[in-house]
Amino acid sequence: MTQVTSKKAALVTNVLYDALIAPHAGNPAPFLVDDHGVTTTYDAFVRRAAQMANVLLDAGVQPGDRVVAQVPKTADAMALYAGSLQAGAVYLPLNNAYTEAELGYFLADATPKLVVCAAATEEMMRRLCQPIAARVMTLDDGETGTLSLAASGAKPHCDPVPRGPDDLAGLLYTSGTTGRAKGAMMSHRNLLSNASALTALWQITDKDNLLHALPIFHTHGLFVAMNTSLLSGACVRFMARFDLDGFIAALPEATLVMGVPTFYTRLLNDHRFSAETCAKMRLFISGSAPLLAETHTAFAARTGHQILERYGMTETNMITSNPYAGARIAGTVGFALPGIEVVVTQDGHPLPHGEVGMIEVRGDNVFQGYWNMPDKTREDLRTNGFFITGDLGVIDSEGRVSIVGRQKDLVISGGYNIYPKEVEDLLNAIDGIEESAVFGIPDPDLGEQVVAALVTEHEAFDLAGVQAHVASALAAFKRPKRYVIHDSLPRNAMGKVQKNILRQMYSD
Ligand code: MLC
Ligand code: AMP
């Protein structure tokens, strides 16, 4: 359980706080350097986290309560994450792009005690929080907002609330094939085990300078990038967003980059990007979407660096990685991380090396189940501990994993996941649309782009009206970039829509 006992006295622990935050008390080294050149030292961060924890506790946050954050990417946003851990809460970050309709669902499902948002969305958030009686505070750039102000007035010390390895630390929503988003419950053990494995494997130390341009509301930017930095004491150049000019300007000081493939293709498309801009670089890491072999090859030719590709999921944290020392092979995602088992199965039975099947994974990295969804949890998480990823892969005789496809109907665009079912449900409910099929086609910038094929009921059809409706309901990254009208959708003998045919039709 939550406590480690000694002979003399019960020693309370808070697993993640003790590992990631507490060791930095008094550490004068820089932790975060933002776009304005403002540096937050590790020691200042520890004190700010304590202030945030005190505000949370004063707001009545109890162990296990959810704290929602839909906030700009700032040092205070990181302090809120750390303070939430310290206060024993479950941190629930949300994409800034979500619309009111999407937010309403998350809030009703997660029933947080406290919701932190930007001042610009406060009024809407208050409306959404009324039925669930959640408190609303704000956080903005430049340490403005009611939470920042309250934190500045709070004590910079706070006894961490005890939390054991199996207690929840995070709740991350991930869309699903049913069209309903699911909250993946992450425990302290899940997050710490993965951060420890990655820090060791990628040899991240306090000498590193991580150029961080990912959002901090997903596993990649928050848990992979920030937990490993906190664990190692690395310095993080904290860019509010991926801005190519700013990124190239900051690169010469960086030793480490974690990015989605779009980062790397955009760099390659810019003539300023060269071996010289990577003068201090130690390691480029890619994940969240497939990295094309041609990108890997072109990158190595331009810079001399072989991008290290790894594979993970919200529910599992990181699962495999190409080696730090040793061949990083394009088109493969490398070996299972230490302590993690990866198998490829058919009908639940492990297949021999070289055969394609469902990738399943077991280890301390695997989540605790879906929030409020015991049936879905049982479906995806076997009683023997293996999680069924929905990705299709193959393992070679040395243990290298390659992902060859996805069984789940999913589009990955610029590292964001779009589940077609969610978009189709929305489109099918619109007057004048008989049916729809949403699918991904290759996109040179984003990897894949979302396309919607519509069968309409009338000749005169208001596409602009449909687009406006979609824009009001769905975050921009989920919206189809292109609509095509069909008399009927291609179907197989079983009546199932053949998206592969649609994909092929529009891929050129
Ligand atoms: C932005 N837009 C996108 C998009 N990102 N559309 C489709 N796919 C995307 N990924 C839309 C915007 O809403 C906007 O629409 C228009 O495109 C331009 O917006 P932008 O802000 O200028 O885009 P940009 O900053 O260039 O963003 C592209 C990006 C960003 C690739 C830098 O999407 C990004 O940071 N992606 C990282 C995602 C990530 O962190 N994934 C990790 C998930 S964890 P409009 O209509 O307003 O013009 C996970 C597990 C694991 O998967 O293994 O890591
Ligand atoms: P998410 O649900 O956002 O966590 O996305 C997880 C999914 O992203 C995985 O199930 C994979 O389909 C995909 N993914 C992550 N990393 C890679 C990778 N390196 N190569 C291919 N797909 C990946």
Side-chain angles (χ1 to χ4, degrees), residues 214-215 218-220 241-242 260 262-263 266 288 310 312-313 318 413-416 446 476-477 481:
L214 290 162
H218 278 310
T219 297
H220 195 166
R241 56 183 288 276
F242 181 77
V260 293
T262 300
F263 285 17
R266 287 189 185 177
S288 306
R310 58 53 174 185
M313 268 185 93
M318 298 306 100
S413 169
Y416 286 136
L446 298 167
F477 69 88
K481 301 269 186 218

Side-chain angles (χ1 to χ4, degrees), residues 426-479:
L426 182 75
L427 291 170
N428 294 344
I430 296 176
D431 254 3
I433 294 182
E434 201 174 297
E435 60 173 342
S436 65
V438 170
F439 53 96
I441 61 169
D443 181 288
D445 181 43
L446 298 167
E448 287 185 282
Q449 70 165 256
V450 179
V451 179
L454 304 178
V455 178
T456 62
E457 282 165 0
H458 322 283
E459 291 255 316
F461 174 70
D462 175 19
L463 184 58
V466 168
Q467 285 172 311
H469 180 70
V470 168
S472 70
L474 290 182
F477 69 88
K478 296 182 192 170
R479 297 174 202 156

Side-chain angles (χ1 to χ4, degrees), residues 101 200-201:
L201 191 70

Side-chain angles (χ1 to χ4, degrees), residues 361-376:
V361 53
R362 177 164 70 180
D364 282 348
N365 58 317
V366 173
F367 76 144
Q368 307 302 297
Y370 295 114
W371 179 259
N372 280 343
M373 290 187 181
D375 292 346
K376 187 66 193 155

Side-chain angles (χ1 to χ4, degrees), residues 174 288-290 309-310 312-314 333 391 403 406 408 412 417:
T174 157
S288 306
E309 185 170 11
R310 58 53 174 185
M313 268 185 93
T314 302
V333 292
D391 293 313
I403 299 171
R406 296 193 281 264
K408 50 194 175 193
I412 305 184
N417 290 2

